[in-house]
Amino acid sequence: MSRELIYSLVLCVLMVTVPHAPHLPAWISALGAVLLLWRSYLAHSGLPLPGRIPLLVITIASLLGILIEFHTLFGREVGIALLALLASLKLMEIRNRRDAIALIYLCCFSIIVNFLYSQSLATGLYLIATLLVITASWVHLNMPGSAFRDRFKVASTLLLQALPLTLILFLLFPRIQGPLWGLPQDAYSSRSGLDDRMSPGSMAHLILSDDVAFRVRYKGRIPRRDQMYWRGPVLWDFDGREWTRGRASDVVAPRLSDASDPVEYEVTLEPNNKNWLFALDMPDGITMPARLTYDFQAISSRPIHERIIYDARSVLSYRANLQESDAELKRALRLPTGIGPKAVALAAKWRSQGISDEQLIGRALAYFHDQDFRYTLDPRPAGSVDDFLFSTREGYCEHYASGFVFLMRAAGIPARVVTGYQGGEYNPAGRYYIVRQSDAHAWAEVWLKGAGWRRMDPTAAISPERVARGLSTLETPALPVADGAAWMHSLRMNWDALSYRWNQWVLGYNSENQFAYLSRIGLTSATRQIAYLAAAMGFIVCLFALYMLRDLFLKKTDRAQKAWLKACKKLERAGLPRLQHEGPLDYATRIAMTRPDLATGFREIAELYIRLRYSGSKEGEEKLKRLASAFRA
Amino acid sequence: MTRNLQNVIAQIEGAILGKPKQIRCALACVIARGHLLIEDVPGVGKTTLAHVLARTLGLQFSRIQFTSDLLPADILGVSVFERDSNKFRFHPGPIFSQMLLADEVNRATPKAQSALLEAMEEHQVTVEGETRKLPEPFFVIATQNPSHQTGTYPLPESQLDRFLMRIEMGYPDPVAERGLLSGMDRREIISGLDPQLDAAGLLELQRLAQKVFVSEALLDYVQALLRHTRESAHYAQGLSPRAGLALLSAARAWALIDGRNAVLPEDVQSVLPGVASHRLPMAGDPADLIEAVAIP
């Protein structure tokens, strides 16, 4: 095992394990790093590898460590910890070719494992680079003594040759329903998203998160920013602190009247492990197995564990559920007893002034606007509704929505809290909107006789910019944008556009899409798909086989000549072209005279070439190829 | 064997100064079982080369000075009635030798010329109905004066084809000429030369030359050369298949002289001017042919 090969194997293990470092216990990452460093040092110094006993001790100790850490030997995290550790340990006992091959296979497998955590474009690109390094090491194993550049050339050629097969497999191989390889349950953990309950401060972690919630591409007209209310869970029940969806008793079907201003769009929703989908207020139709609840929520039949794409249609101008069941209206008025007496008193005061519902709503909004309310993401904690409304007067959307609905209910106007997202960032590179977790929002809906449910956004009353321009502009007040920042921003937008396409075309290519695409080209039945898959694969494999066997049909010496011409080409670039009638011997002599520094190297090539091409010798072709590749003029 | 060959070359180069290329061509000609035509003005060492070659190779040597009144019988021999035995007895002519120098072959009449050339081709002579084998090896060096000189009967193309190679001696360069002028008398030198080889040795060399390896790639090159002479408008007529064979056997001999057991394009190029120039009428410089054809 050459030192260089060991280094490249160390690099392979490093590249496949580094992405796991963040989700592995620190001691495992550290142990892996120590093993890699140790192996590199041994290769560098030429010291002997550790014996079986110390390795066994390390292995057993780390297995025990993993058992203690995870209390099991099964599951995703444990599996990856084992894989990373054992790959590093395997490096410590590489003595022969077989060991190296085993390690390379292990690295190839570890590539796949990385996709359990992330399937983003960046991950894909990184792992392709990793695959290239692994393949190059593999080539190195089989072509000892070859130049670094040649190994990567061979490896890239191999990967490029694999591309057609990859494409065919991608397009035709039957897609498996559900996420990659039916992940264990813990694969879905730790995904943030909007919850179906809301208490003061519960949205704070969302609002600080830059993660993408979903991306939207409008088909046709684009609504104004202050019309982009992405409707999520609707919350009815309040226990004085927390809002929940509660349980509906007697519901009427959702019904829109006087609907106009339709908007059509396509949503690419990131997995949120929840059932709800997001649609603009008010959703009218959704093209996927989803239903519209009585409170106009789009609910998927199964949790969104993988990225999905759906088309939806919404109307911006509507009257929602002009007829509402009494039970629901009663529910929309229910308040926990003994909570917020001051707020109840304030509402009663308004009510007693004998004004209409509309005027009362206006009064409430004006109250938020005129009193000393402040929009902040970092409010002083308010214990109760009264605390918020009358003392701290600091908060963000959820505080205002909650406070407003409370006041409405206290004043006898049916009201509910709607959570979701508001606005989004336009990406000019891909002409779509990015809605991030930080766009999470909460607003209110009130039911008015003759008008149905109507959206009211108290936050807009306090901080109109939050709705008109988005949170990010609010947080970083209009600083003059430096050129560099603008450039970075455009880079980010372009990258996001690329990821969007990657999501749409690569990750979004699920079994339904596949069936749709293949049906379009006439592959309607699964058997036919399989037959086409087999035929296409067979065709490509045959093509490659023919290409590889071409030497059987062509003259053996042709490859020697190819190598010779390659060396000649290099000399030509160095200003010493071979004349067309110049034989190898003459050429070598001339080179030796004009460039004595090249004499020996080129002489060797010329002599080998003469032996192969003119003396009927069969041996040394590989050597000639190597010499010609290594030759530098 | 190749060591002997090096001795041969060394000895000839010691006697013929400054003409390594011509010496090798002549030697290649012998080894390839071909005949050599040397064309040049008188006095540049044509005859000396023939003498030195015969001497060094250890061959039995004779010489015919061609003149306009030379008869075929003067070359081939004649049957003479012997009174003692009351029979005609054949007296072999000078052609019955291992090496024949036919000096100024274009001074003789076509009849005498053709007698020689037929014998050269067939390695046998038929006199008075009886066919007699010529000795082995058999090798003719013919010299001729440039045909523009007076009193010459230029050899027809068909007969020129019988010579494997035609070379020109050329004037010696100043250094060689100085050596020539200051050195011993050539005749003395020649008589002092020891044979480095004998007939058997030469036959062995000829056998070895035939075994020199010729690759497909080289045949490609030879064919490309032949094709070029046939297709190019530059040549009135192309090289014949016999010329192709001649080229190959000369190249083999050249490779052997160079101490290799495979023919390279360079070998072909080295012998090409000698092999092709007298077969391509009005061809101009044979180097043009070499440069025009790429080595495949």
Side-chain angles (χ1 to χ4, degrees):
Chain A
M1 293 291 111
S2 78
R3 189 183 300 174
E4 214 187 329
L5 179 62
I6 296 295
Y7 288 151
S8 71
L9 289 176
V10 169
L11 180 64
C12 291
V13 175
L14 183 69
M15 285 184 84
V16 292
T17 48
V18 150
H20 294 307
H23 36 250
L24 286 181
W27 69 268
I28 291 182
S29 307
L31 180 55
V34 167
L35 287 172
L36 293 187
L37 279 175
W38 187 13
R39 187 64 185 92
S40 311
Y41 171 71
L42 290 184
H44 175 75
S45 61
L47 292 173
L49 293 179
R52 292 207 182 281
I53 307 289
L55 280 185
L56 204 64
V57 169
I58 297 176
T59 311
I60 291 174
S62 41
L63 276 181
L64 280 176
I66 286 175
L67 259 179
I68 293 166
E69 179 89 35
F70 295 100
H71 307 294
T72 171
L73 279 181
F74 299 98
R76 182 173 63 156
E77 243 88 69
V78 184
I80 284 162
L82 282 173
L83 199 62
L85 267 182
L86 293 182
S88 314
L89 278 167
K90 183 72 197 167
L91 257 181
M92 303 306 299
E93 57 159 20
I94 288 197
R95 291 194 168 78
N96 52 36
R97 212 181 124 77
R98 190 189 150 281
D99 293 333
I101 289 181
L103 186 70
I104 284 170
Y105 289 166
L106 200 60
C107 288
C108 288
F109 179 72
S110 307
I111 283 192
I112 305 172
V113 171
N114 275 293
F115 286 114
L116 295 181
Y117 283 97
S118 161
Q119 300 171 21
S120 70
L121 179 58
T123 309
L125 291 177
Y126 174 77
L127 291 177
I128 286 175
T130 308
L131 184 61
L132 182 67
V133 172
I134 294 176
T135 316
S137 310
W138 209 339
V139 171
H140 190 173
L141 190 63
N142 288 292
M143 277 169 63
S146 54
F148 179 80
R149 239 177 58 180
D150 298 331
R151 293 199 297 271
F152 271 86
K153 228 166 114 181
V154 172
S156 334
T157 317
L158 283 172
L159 292 189
L160 281 180
Q161 283 172 340
L163 200 59
L165 277 186
T166 314
L167 281 179
I168 287 192
L169 281 172
F170 177 77
L171 289 174
L172 293 180
F173 196 82
R175 311 297 285 192
I176 299 154
Q177 294 257 2
L180 222 48
W181 309 295
L183 299 184
Q185 205 51 48
D186 62 351
Y188 306 130
S189 63
S190 76
R191 276 190 189 136
S192 65
L194 209 57
D195 217 340
D196 61 349
R197 48 191 61 235
M198 183 180 94
S199 54
S202 64
M203 270 189 186
H205 73 281
L206 276 187
I207 284 179
L208 294 173
S209 159
D210 231 7
D211 290 347
V212 174
F214 53 92
R215 295 181 176 86
V216 186
R217 188 193 294 279
Y218 290 99
K219 301 168 173 176
R221 69 170 279 238
I222 298 173
R224 286 198 317 276
R225 217 197 135 78
D226 60 1
Q227 291 175 317
M228 290 185 199
Y229 280 86
W230 298 97
R231 193 179 182 86
V234 180
L235 311 178
W236 293 77
D237 288 7
F238 186 52
D239 66 356
R241 189 180 153 70
E242 190 176 56
W243 286 89
T244 50
R245 290 169 70 185
R247 185 176 290 271
S249 46
D250 173 25
V251 299
V252 294
R255 214 184 119 94
L256 292 173
S257 9
D258 301 335
S260 60
D261 269 353
V263 186
E264 288 187 26
Y265 49 92
E266 178 196 74
V267 178
T268 310
L269 181 63
E270 298 294 312
N272 57 12
N273 297 336
K274 310 278 167 37
N275 283 60
W276 38 92
L277 309 173
F278 296 92
L280 274 183
D281 254 356
M282 282 292 192
D284 197 16
I286 263 185
T287 60
M288 70 166 284
R291 68 193 165 84
L292 219 52
T293 59
Y294 63 96
D295 48 8
F296 296 91
Q297 250 197 93
I299 298 283
S300 157
S301 47
R302 48 170 201 262
I304 313 299
H305 287 321
E306 50 176 341
R307 190 176 289 105
I308 53 160
I309 301 170
Y310 55 87
D311 288 333
R313 186 171 180 277
S314 294
V315 288
L316 298 178
S317 168
Y318 53 85
R319 284 167 202 274
N321 277 9
L322 284 172
Q323 305 298 320
E324 190 62 274
S325 78
D326 289 341
E328 288 305 294
L329 287 180
K330 213 172 274 169
R331 211 175 135 219
L333 285 169
R334 198 184 300 149
L335 283 176
T337 46
I339 295 286
K342 278 161 97 178
V344 172
L346 178 66
K349 193 181 116 200
W350 288 339
R351 188 85 275 180
S352 65
Q353 287 167 356
I355 50 177
S356 69
D357 283 356
E358 276 92 344
Q359 282 169 323
L360 199 146
I361 292 167
R363 187 69 62 84
L365 288 176
Y367 179 78
F368 281 119
H369 186 259
D370 299 338
Q371 300 295 320
D372 190 21
F373 281 96
R374 216 155 63 79
Y375 184 90
T376 170
L377 292 182
D378 189 22
R380 280 174 289 164
S384 66
V385 179
D386 277 359
D387 270 2
F388 167 68
L389 284 176
F390 301 102
S391 65
T392 67
R393 294 189 169 172
E394 281 180 353
Y396 48 96
C397 53
E398 60 177 36
H399 301 94
Y400 291 104
S402 168
F404 181 78
V405 171
F406 189 93
L407 283 175
M408 287 300 109
R409 288 187 176 185
I413 301 173
R416 59 195 185 192
V417 172
V418 184
T419 57
Y421 297 88
Q422 204 281 323
E425 185 181 10
Y426 182 62
N427 185 345
R431 287 201 290 272
Y432 59 86
Y433 281 83
I434 309 167
V435 179
R436 300 178 189 281
Q437 300 296 356
S438 55
D439 292 315
H441 193 50
W443 58 93
E445 266 180 346
V446 294
W447 189 84
L448 298 171
K449 211 167 176 62
W453 290 102
R454 186 184 288 173
R455 184 176 68 229
M456 291 293 154
D457 191 355
T459 312
I462 295 122
S463 173
E465 306 85 49
R466 163 67 184 87
V467 174
R469 287 195 286 134
L471 189 64
S472 48
T473 51
L474 202 71
E475 280 296 283
T476 48
L479 280 174
V481 180
D483 282 353
W487 181 79
M488 276 299 288
H489 183 75
S490 123
L491 198 73
R492 248 182 62 190
M493 285 291 132
N494 276 301
W495 177 252
D496 194 86
L498 259 178
S499 304
Y500 179 65
R501 265 172 219 139
W502 166 263
N503 293 342
Q504 300 281 86
W505 296 107
V506 181
L507 300 181
Y509 187 70
N510 53 22
S511 51
E512 290 111 50
N513 281 342
Q514 184 184 37
F515 188 76
Y517 288 134
L518 294 184
S519 301
R520 216 177 293 165
I521 56 168
L523 299 179
T524 41
S525 74
T527 21
R528 205 179 273 189
Q529 277 179 24
I530 301 271
Y532 269 69
L533 173 69
M537 301 260 298
F539 178 71
I540 288 195
V541 168
C542 281
L543 271 188
F544 274 120
L546 278 179
Y547 178 73
M548 281 177 224
L549 292 175
R550 74 197 188 285
D551 286 350
L552 285 185
F553 311 116
L554 299 176
K555 281 177 207 154
K556 190 81 178 148
T557 43
D558 281 2
R559 284 166 64 187
Q561 195 185 17
K562 227 164 126 184
W564 163 251
L565 291 177
K566 190 170 166 184
C568 292
K569 191 98 204 158
K570 286 177 180 171
L571 280 169
E572 186 178 331
R573 269 186 243 124
L576 293 165
R578 187 178 69 92
L579 307 174
Q580 62 157 353
H581 65 276
E582 202 165 21
L585 214 51
D586 286 350
Y587 190 38
T589 312
R590 184 159 67 89
I591 295 299
M593 265 159 38
T594 42
R595 288 282 301 273
D597 53 318
L598 301 176
T600 350
F602 192 65
R603 184 98 207 163
E604 195 182 359
I605 292 177
E607 277 171 2
L608 197 51
Y609 171 63
I610 287 168
R611 269 227 306 282
L612 285 165
R613 183 148 169 87
Y614 293 111
S615 308
S617 168
K618 301 264 184 292
E619 271 140 54
E621 200 171 84
E622 285 307 315
K623 188 181 173 200
L624 178 60
K625 265 171 99 170
R626 258 202 324 277
L627 285 175
S629 297
F631 182 67
R632 299 274 174 274
Chain B
M1 213 64 228
T2 37
R3 191 200 204 97
N4 290 345
L5 202 51
Q6 294 316 312
N7 292 341
V8 168
I9 293 170
Q11 178 161 321
I12 302 174
E13 280 180 347
I16 316 277
L17 301 177
K19 298 286 168 206
K21 177 118 186 160
Q22 285 82 346
I23 292 168
R24 274 155 205 263
C25 272
L27 211 50
C29 231
V30 186
I31 293 172
R33 301 182 200 216
H35 305 289
L36 180 65
L37 179 64
I38 307 177
E39 180 178 285
D40 220 321
V41 292
V44 288
K46 301 187 291 271
T47 317
T48 313
L49 175 62
H51 270 291
V52 171
L53 208 53
R55 190 96 195 164
T56 309
L57 293 176
L59 300 179
Q60 179 215 336
F61 175 75
S62 56
R63 170 180 176 171
I64 311 170
Q65 180 66 48
F66 277 42
T67 55
S68 52
D69 55 355
L70 186 81
L71 294 173
D74 296 335
I75 301 169
L76 305 178
V78 67
S79 292
V80 178
F81 183 74
E82 287 191 343
R83 253 209 320 235
D84 301 350
S85 58
N86 217 6
K87 264 189 194 159
F88 277 96
R89 198 169 75 82
F90 182 69
H91 285 250
I95 201 163
F96 286 90
S97 57
Q98 289 169 325
M99 180 178 274
L100 174 70
L101 173 63
D103 232 350
E104 303 190 64
V105 72
N106 60 343
R107 282 197 180 275
T109 54
K111 193 169 179 177
Q113 288 173 354
S114 61
L116 170 71
L117 294 163
E118 277 165 40
M120 277 164 57
E121 180 66 20
E122 278 144 34
H123 282 227
Q124 62 185 26
V125 287
T126 306
V127 184
E128 289 155 18
E130 203 174 329
T131 302
R132 291 162 209 275
K133 277 253 175 236
L134 291 176
E136 280 293 328
F138 172 67
F139 175 59
V140 173
I141 297 179
T143 70
Q144 72 173 357
N145 298 314
S147 47
H148 52 79
Q149 288 202 337
T150 47
T152 56
Y153 297 90
L155 292 172
E157 278 149 22
S158 62
Q159 297 197 338
L160 279 176
D161 200 31
R162 306 278 160 85
F163 290 98
L164 183 72
M165 284 197 208
R166 183 188 70 171
I167 60 173
E168 290 167 10
M169 291 300 282
Y171 293 114
D173 59 64
V175 179
E177 185 146 33
R178 188 58 166 252
L180 192 70
L181 294 173
S182 61
M184 283 204 302
D185 180 46
R186 293 295 114 182
R187 260 165 295 181
E188 266 178 51
I189 291 175
I190 293 167
S191 57
L193 292 177
D194 294 322
Q196 298 292 330
L197 218 59
D198 54 9
L202 181 58
L203 285 174
E204 173 68 13
L205 278 180
Q206 290 179 340
R207 207 179 49 73
L208 282 178
Q210 280 179 318
K211 282 190 180 164
V212 171
F213 182 79
V214 170
S215 65
E216 296 286 321
L218 190 94
L219 290 180
D220 287 345
Y221 180 51
V222 169
Q223 282 193 299
L225 284 168
L226 296 178
R227 196 165 48 243
H228 180 77
T229 64
R230 292 167 196 168
E231 287 170 359
S232 167
H234 190 62
Y235 304 101
Q237 71 191 53
L239 289 171
S240 65
R242 176 154 57 186
L245 287 171
L247 187 57
L248 209 55
S249 53
R252 277 189 157 117
W254 188 276
L256 186 71
I257 292 170
D258 248 11
R260 267 179 286 104
N261 56 4
V263 182
L264 299 189
E266 283 90 338
D267 300 324
V268 176
Q269 291 172 353
S270 299
V271 297
L272 185 68
V275 174
S277 64
H278 59 295
R279 292 178 162 103
L280 292 172
M282 298 167 288
D285 192 350
D288 293 343
L289 171 57
I290 294 174
E291 278 172 23
V293 179
I295 297 174

